[in-house]
């Protein structure tokens, strides 16, 4: 966040975003809930004001967003070094979230409701969320392009030992850790399988 174009005098914007993530993990569902951290300086230190937190969110553009998986991968590598999970399984699933008003990007769902259809990827081996994608309510549960984009995001957030051989253009023979990509019947489309095959292009494929 150092190059986001805003002069920060007191609060590092990366720390502000980290505090926001902690707030969400603690149950926050709006920016003002961020204040709960300010009331606990013995735990979180000097926490920014809501207005400063809002500036950090607005300053976060595509460049900074692309760096988040890299930071997550570094943190995850430290944790997984302490307790290596071995080969991993990544589960993909979409779910419907109903809303009761015409919120931005809300659409009619196949269940005749109204809302959103986010899709997520989880590491079943460790129970960690790896990646998520916000989608309108009319997004398909079997949209292979969304599954494959989410797969690339999930792999980007893995430690280097797990990424090697699984990223676009990698030689499959470099694979050190096997990854099983798994979806339910709605997500198990032919295009998703073909996309997995193209990412390994070998009968000894590690993602299957």
């Amino acid at each position: 966040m150092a190059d986001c174009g805003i002069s920060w005098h007191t609060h590092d914007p990366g720390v502000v975003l980290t505090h926001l993530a902690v707030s969400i993990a603690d149950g926050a569902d709006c920016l003002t809930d961020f204040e709960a951290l300010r009331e606990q300086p013995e735990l979180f230190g000097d926490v920014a004001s809501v207005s400063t937190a809002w500036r950090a969110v607005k300053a976060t553009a595509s460049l900074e967003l692309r760096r988040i998986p890299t930071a997550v991968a570094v943190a995850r590598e430290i944790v997984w070094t302490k307790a290596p999970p071995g080969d991993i399984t990544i589960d993909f699933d979409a779910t419907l979230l109903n809303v009761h008003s015409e919120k931005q990007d809300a659409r009619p769902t196949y269940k005749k409701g109204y809302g959103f259809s986010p899709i997520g990827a989880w590491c079943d081996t460790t129970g960690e969320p790896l990646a998520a994608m916000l989608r309108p309510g009319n997004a398909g549960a079997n949209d292979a392009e969304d599954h494959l984009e989410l797969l690339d995001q999930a792999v980007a957030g893995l430690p280097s030992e797990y990424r090697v051989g699984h990223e676009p253009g990698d030689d499959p023979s470099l694979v050190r850790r096997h990854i099983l990509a798994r979806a339910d019947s709605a997500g198990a489309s032919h295009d998703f399988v073909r996309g997995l095959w193209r990412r390994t292009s070998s009968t000894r494929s590690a993602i299957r």
Side-chain angles (χ1 to χ4, degrees), residues 93-149:
D93 199 10
T95 188
L96 294 179
L97 296 177
N98 292 321
V99 297
H100 303 287
S101 62
E102 296 185 2
K103 296 183 183 294
Q104 183 179 1
D105 292 331
R107 298 288 186 275
T109 71
Y110 74 94
K111 287 192 173 181
K112 304 187 185 304
Y114 194 82
F116 304 96
S117 181
I119 185 172
W122 293 264
C123 179
D124 183 66
T125 316
T126 64
E128 297 172 59
L130 297 178
M133 181 187 300
L134 300 177
R135 307 188 306 166
N138 59 357
N142 60 351
D143 190 318
E145 289 187 5
D146 288 349
H147 280 79
L148 293 170
E149 181 180 341

Side-chain angles (χ1 to χ4, degrees), residues 41-188:
E42 68 280 2
L43 288 178
F44 305 108
D46 190 14
V47 177
S49 65
V50 170
S51 59
T52 299
W54 177 243
R55 289 173 64 225
V57 171
K58 291 195 68 175
T60 306
S62 57
L63 176 63
E64 288 75 30
L65 290 174
R66 286 196 295 270
R67 289 174 174 168
I68 289 176
T70 303
V72 170
V74 171
R76 183 170 283 124
E77 187 159 12
I78 295 172
V79 175
W80 284 14
T81 298
K82 302 292 185 182
D87 295 342
I88 64 172
T89 297
I90 300 178
D91 283 331
F92 296 80
D93 199 10
T95 188
L96 294 179
L97 296 177
N98 292 321
V99 297
H100 303 287
S101 62
E102 296 185 2
K103 296 183 183 294
Q104 183 179 1
D105 292 331
R107 298 288 186 275
T109 71
Y110 74 94
K111 287 192 173 181
K112 304 187 185 304
Y114 194 82
F116 304 96
S117 181
I119 185 172
W122 293 264
C123 179
D124 183 66
T125 316
T126 64
E128 297 172 59
L130 297 178
M133 181 187 300
L134 300 177
R135 307 188 306 166
N138 59 357
N142 60 351
D143 190 318
E145 289 187 5
D146 288 349
H147 280 79
L148 293 170
E149 181 180 341
L150 201 65
L151 172 65
D152 291 340
Q153 292 180 22
V155 170
L158 296 176
S160 56
E161 179 182 352
Y162 289 79
R163 292 197 311 272
V164 64
H166 296 301
E167 295 185 295
D170 283 359
D171 183 346
S173 65
L174 298 176
V175 168
R176 299 171 62 186
R177 295 291 185 180
H178 292 276
I179 298 175
L180 173 65
R182 186 168 62 181
D184 60 13
S185 58

